[in-house]
Amino acid sequence: MIWSVVAFVVLALAVWFADGIRKIGAVSSGEPIGDRSGTALLLIDLQSVFWDANIFTDAAKSEVKTQVLAEVEAAKSNQIPIIAIRQEWSIPSTKAVARTLMKGQAIEGTSGTEIAGPFKGLADHVLVKRVQDAFETKELDTLLAQLEVGTLHLVGLDTKYCVAKTALAARQRGYNVEIVKQAVLSADPKGAQQTLEMLTKQQVTLR
């Protein structure tokens, strides 16, 4: 009897953990946005915990920093709102996945979730996302509707994951999406290129 209980508990935990993995990579759905004329620049996951870790080469970071700052300057010059998206794992199952598979990085309440030094104070708005898709909480939907935004320019990291999932969620809603290739980073450059090719098939523009 006791072994049956143990087996049930282990199975339940495995299912719960697997659901956390599913939630992390899921792409949310939302209402079609219709015609909107505005544009916004999204800075994705440019946080100390990622930027200051030994994940990306100094050369890659230097190139991306230069391009991100250029995009920010252009946005400000054209009165385009700048929205920074910060990752904080806060759902119990996704926190468990982050602790187990992601070195505990970016769990809510831990150090490093703040915007990294080179990009601090640049955004007009800062939102927190709980999974890779920045639209999951619906807060981004609400803000973009208030700003009458129909086109999104994406920069930040990681190209394969949070950038890609946010782009796909945006396209699902009808946004025009542009990824600035020199302003995104990935720990897996080869995989990132494959991801960008996949996104072009979903009518995401690369610049």
Side-chain angles (χ1 to χ4, degrees), residues 113-197:
T113 59
E114 71 280 355
I115 301 298
F119 314 107
K120 186 175 181 180
L122 299 180
D124 303 304
H125 309 271
V126 180
L127 299 180
V128 174
K129 64 182 178 66
R130 309 188 300 173
V131 296
Q132 292 173 354
D133 168 12
F135 285 90
E136 180 263 343
T137 65
K138 308 300 183 185
E139 291 184 23
L140 184 56
D141 287 289
T142 300
L143 177 59
L144 294 176
Q146 292 171 349
L147 297 172
E148 286 294 322
V149 168
T151 297
L152 297 174
H153 296 170
L154 306 187
V155 303
L157 53 97
D158 184 297
T159 310
K160 283 180 61 177
Y161 304 110
C162 298
V163 173
K165 295 304 172 61
T166 298
L168 290 171
R171 285 297 304 135
Q172 191 276 336
R173 289 161 167 77
Y175 287 92
N176 298 311
V177 180
E178 176 181 281
I179 294 176
V180 185
K181 289 181 64 176
Q182 301 305 314
V184 290
L185 272 173
S186 178
D188 176 12
K190 182 177 180 180
Q193 182 57 41
Q194 294 172 342
T195 298
L196 291 175
E197 291 171 3

Side-chain angles (χ1 to χ4, degrees), residues 101-117:
L101 303 179
M102 304 176 189
K103 303 178 182 179
Q105 293 176 324
I107 294 173
E108 68 171 344
T110 62
S111 62
T113 59
E114 71 280 355
I115 301 298

Side-chain angles (χ1 to χ4, degrees), residues 5-175:
V5 172
V6 170
F8 176 80
V9 171
V10 170
L11 178 60
L13 286 173
V15 170
W16 177 75
F17 190 84
D19 187 58
I21 294 174
R22 180 196 63 79
K23 286 177 179 176
I24 285 172
V27 175
S28 66
S29 59
E31 295 297 321
I33 64 169
D35 293 329
R36 297 183 191 168
S37 60
T39 299
L41 174 64
L42 265 58
L43 314 181
I44 300 176
D45 289 6
L46 291 171
Q47 298 163 252
S48 298
V49 69
F50 304 126
W51 186 260
D52 296 333
N54 295 319
I55 301 173
F56 314 106
T57 67
D58 289 341
K61 286 170 58 178
S62 178
E63 180 179 7
V64 165
K65 175 185 171 182
T66 297
Q67 189 61 49
V68 168
L69 294 180
E71 293 297 319
V72 167
E73 182 178 356
K76 289 184 178 296
S77 296
N78 291 286
Q79 298 184 315
I80 291 172
I82 302 167
I83 304 169
I85 308 292
R86 295 193 303 109
Q87 178 66 55
E88 288 190 8
W89 306 111
S90 59
I91 302 169
S93 59
T94 63
K95 289 167 70 174
V97 174
R99 288 192 183 98
T100 305
L101 303 179
M102 304 176 189
K103 303 178 182 179
Q105 293 176 324
I107 294 173
E108 68 171 344
T110 62
S111 62
T113 59
E114 71 280 355
I115 301 298
F119 314 107
K120 186 175 181 180
L122 299 180
D124 303 304
H125 309 271
V126 180
L127 299 180
V128 174
K129 64 182 178 66
R130 309 188 300 173
V131 296
Q132 292 173 354
D133 168 12
F135 285 90
E136 180 263 343
T137 65
K138 308 300 183 185
E139 291 184 23
L140 184 56
D141 287 289
T142 300
L143 177 59
L144 294 176
Q146 292 171 349
L147 297 172
E148 286 294 322
V149 168
T151 297
L152 297 174
H153 296 170
L154 306 187
V155 303
L157 53 97
D158 184 297
T159 310
K160 283 180 61 177
Y161 304 110
C162 298
V163 173
K165 295 304 172 61
T166 298
L168 290 171
R171 285 297 304 135
Q172 191 276 336
R173 289 161 167 77
Y175 287 92

